[in-house]
Amino acid sequence: MATNVVDVMVLGAGIVGISSAIHLQRQGFATTLVDRRGAGEETSFGNAGIIQREGVHPYMFPSGFCKLIAYALNRRIDARYHVGSLARIAPFLWRYWRASNSATVRQTLQANLPLFAECLEAHAELACAARSETLIAKHGWIRLIRNARALAETEREISELKELGLDACLVGGKELRELEPDIDASAFEAAVHHRQPWTVSDPGALVKSYASLFVEEGGRIVQGDALKLGRSGGYWRLATAVCAIASPQIVVALGPWSMDFLKQHGVRLPMGIKRGYHCHFRPANGAVLHRPVVDEAYGYVLAPMTRGMRITSGIEFAALDAPRTPVQIEQLIPRAREIFPLAESLDAQPWMGMRPVFPDMLPVIGKLSGAPATWVNFGHGHHGFTLGPATGKLLAQLVAGAPSFCDPEPYRPARFGKVGH
Ligand SMILES: Cc1cc2nc3c(=O)[nH]c(=O)nc-3n(C[C@H](O)[C@H](O)[C@H](O)COP(=O)(O)OP(=O)(O)OC[C@H]3O[C@@H](n4cnc5c(N)ncnc54)[C@H](O)[C@@H]3O)c2cc1C
């Protein structure tokens, strides 16, 4: 079998890998994208589809004694842990808890600003070229607030967002009814309308349209297992069922599976997993939702999608290979039914996805010192769908040695100390 020699192999065809591959190709690198499945069929398929322009504040470990006890007893719906995984996830939880201090929160917020500032334009650039803009709506999303205490916290967050030049608007019951007549506004104290973010009616289809764009622009997508990659003669090499590929350098964008690959090559990074589930329902009685709503007290999103009303759950800390435990989504469905008319379920069983996260809630973007000719772009946590196109652009600028649109220093993998061997 003849070997195709390319400039860069990108591992993983989720939103992050595809966006990186497009920008590498645009920087003049002959790029091949490798995935064991089709493009955009894992985490990038099943998310809530919000391009969260306002999402600059990191989700840190909860504070407050009562909340901590409730989390420790696994009694919360918004976040829980997989009991059987506890021994394996404890080191990550410890690092996450330690990183959840005000200094790290400030640093992460600052590091988030330039990436989130780029997120809408970076999506627009790809969606326009891919002719898939019709999948994107620009009506924002709504955060629903159930009690006065949460309202006070939210008011503080709104003023912080405003100081950062971000738009967020507190709305009362009357305005909520005007925006979303089919939501039962009586259950809520107030709501916040985040007007800048965009939302997507089929995240998997948007990612697939970006994959087609990559091919149109001269890139190649190959099905293959990244875990079979080897290195010899100064090249990374992969033999697939249809071809052999060699490249002097690789980009690891395997999302939640990135550490499976890197551990094989002696690299250690403190990544954790926050799992989430989704399921779809047919709206009852012709009810319509114009934009996603987030019922913050229970940590779920109700999002209008092409397939139906998608409910996505909050956080389940678990090991990568732990058995599915869709407890949260089962508890959420009656809550969602209380606020919006839902008919029958459209899925045989809930979908499960995994958010790859680092203790400081920032991704790793840059060159690895612990492995040869290896770049990384993963660990986008709650915001990979938002940030994939922006971090793909940044990564490609770094590989090309071109001026980058922001300082890459905060995302360096070496911020966690020595990463390899
Ligand atoms: C319930 C839920 C809701 C979310 N909602 C939002 C939201 O509204 N907005 C937002 O911005 N983010 C959201 N996210 C987060 C977002 O979906 C992720 O951060 C993002 O999809 C990660 O993209 P990725 O490309 O890094 O990973 P993935 O999309 O998982 O891509 C990784 C790819 O690697 C491939 N792969 C794995 N192993 C191998 C191997 N051995 N060989 C070859 N290929 C391999 C997989 O097949 C996959 O295609 C949500 C996540 C969840 C779980």
Side-chain angles (χ1 to χ4, degrees):
M1 196 186 290
T3 300
N4 292 305
V5 179
V6 293
D7 297 326
V8 192
M9 231 187 299
V10 176
L11 310 178
I15 183 74
V16 176
I18 289 170
S19 304
S20 305
I22 292 173
H23 285 290
L24 283 162
Q25 189 77 22
R26 288 182 176 184
Q27 287 283 356
F29 295 100
T31 305
T32 291
L33 188 53
V34 178
D35 201 292
R36 63 184 173 191
R37 297 187 57 170
E41 294 183 358
E42 290 282 1
T43 332
S44 301
F45 153 83
N47 57 63
I50 309 179
I51 303 175
Q52 268 192 275
R53 171 65 188 94
E54 87 306 333
V56 293
H57 282 102
Y59 295 110
M60 298 317 261
F61 206 90
S63 57
F65 184 70
C66 296
K67 256 193 189 173
L68 276 176
I69 294 291
Y71 284 118
L73 296 173
N74 240 2
R75 285 203 185 136
R76 302 266 310 191
I77 303 185
D78 57 341
R80 68 189 303 279
Y81 57 87
H82 186 273
V83 178
S85 299
L86 198 52
R88 282 193 285 163
I89 62 175
F92 170 78
L93 290 177
W94 170 244
R95 289 190 79 140
Y96 185 26
W97 180 75
R98 283 191 50 202
S100 296
N101 56 62
S102 53
T104 309
V105 170
R106 265 198 312 277
Q107 279 167 18
T108 298
L109 172 67
Q110 285 306 318
N112 274 338
L113 293 177
L115 295 181
F116 282 79
E118 188 68 19
C119 72
L120 298 180
E121 206 181 303
H123 263 286
E125 197 183 329
L126 301 190
C128 175
R131 300 172 298 282
S132 49
E133 290 156 301
T134 49
L135 294 169
I136 298 178
K138 300 182 180 173
H139 317 300
W141 63 275
I142 289 178
R143 182 154 34 138
L144 301 166
I145 302 178
R146 283 188 182 259
N147 59 54
R149 192 155 157 230
L151 179 58
E153 262 175 49
T154 307
E155 279 172 333
R156 206 179 50 245
E157 278 171 34
I158 291 179
S159 62
E160 277 173 28
L161 285 176
K162 287 194 168 150
E163 277 169 29
L164 295 167
L166 292 163
D167 167 76
C169 169
L170 197 64
V171 297
K174 181 170 168 288
E175 291 141 304
L176 178 57
R177 276 182 210 97
E178 280 166 15
L179 286 165
E180 295 297 348
D182 290 322
I183 288 281
D184 179 4
S186 67
F188 302 100
E189 186 81 16
V192 182
H193 186 191
H194 294 281
R195 291 178 291 200
Q196 283 167 315
W198 295 350
T199 61
V200 174
S201 57
D202 187 341
L206 189 72
V207 178
K208 280 195 186 295
S209 81
Y210 293 176
S212 303
L213 173 67
F214 169 62
V215 174
E216 263 174 46
E217 294 189 356
R220 184 170 182 210
I221 303 181
V222 169
Q223 200 162 19
D225 184 353
L227 299 184
K228 299 206 169 122
L229 212 75
R231 193 163 166 91
S232 66
Y235 283 86
W236 286 100
R237 295 178 189 273
L238 179 68
T240 73
V242 292
C243 63
I245 316 158
S247 71
Q249 48 190 345
I250 53 168
V251 175
V252 180
L254 293 163
W257 295 274
S258 300
M259 290 315 298
D260 281 359
F261 173 78
L262 289 175
K263 276 182 200 160
Q264 280 190 336
H265 298 276
V267 174
R268 296 269 177 276
L269 286 167
M271 195 183 88
I273 296 289
K274 289 180 173 181
R275 301 202 300 200
Y277 298 81
H278 86 211
C279 53
H280 295 92
F281 288 82
R282 196 173 58 77
N285 314 324
V288 175
L289 191 66
H290 299 94
R291 50 182 76 68
V293 294
V294 178
D295 188 349
E296 202 166 58
Y298 300 110
Y300 71 90
V301 182
L302 182 64
M305 294 278 168
T306 312
R307 179 163 164 71
M309 301 303 302
R310 178 177 287 184
I311 302 176
T312 63
S313 69
I315 298 160
E316 184 190 36
F317 293 101
L320 191 67
D321 56 357
R324 301 156 54 92
T325 43
V327 182
Q328 286 156 296
I329 199 102
E330 282 155 16
Q331 292 173 333
L332 291 173
I333 293 164
R335 302 288 178 186
R337 283 191 190 283
E338 281 165 20
I339 67 161
F340 187 84
L342 295 171
E344 78 277 8
S345 165
L346 301 171
D347 302 315
Q349 59 165 345
W351 168 90
M352 186 186 81
M354 293 179 278
R355 308 171 181 94
V357 289
F358 284 98
D360 59 3
M361 293 292 121
L362 288 173
V364 288
I365 308 167
K367 193 163 190 183
L368 268 191
S369 50
T374 302
W375 297 83
V376 291
N377 191 4
F378 65 90
H380 297 64
H382 295 261
H383 295 118
F385 189 64
T386 299
L387 295 179
T391 64
K393 181 184 271 188
L394 176 62
L395 186 276
Q397 289 168 339
L398 298 178
V399 176
S404 55
F405 74 81
C406 70
D407 177 6
E409 182 69 17
Y411 327 112
R412 280 180 320 127
R415 71 184 187 271
F416 298 111
K418 190 167 180 286
V419 296
H421 300 283

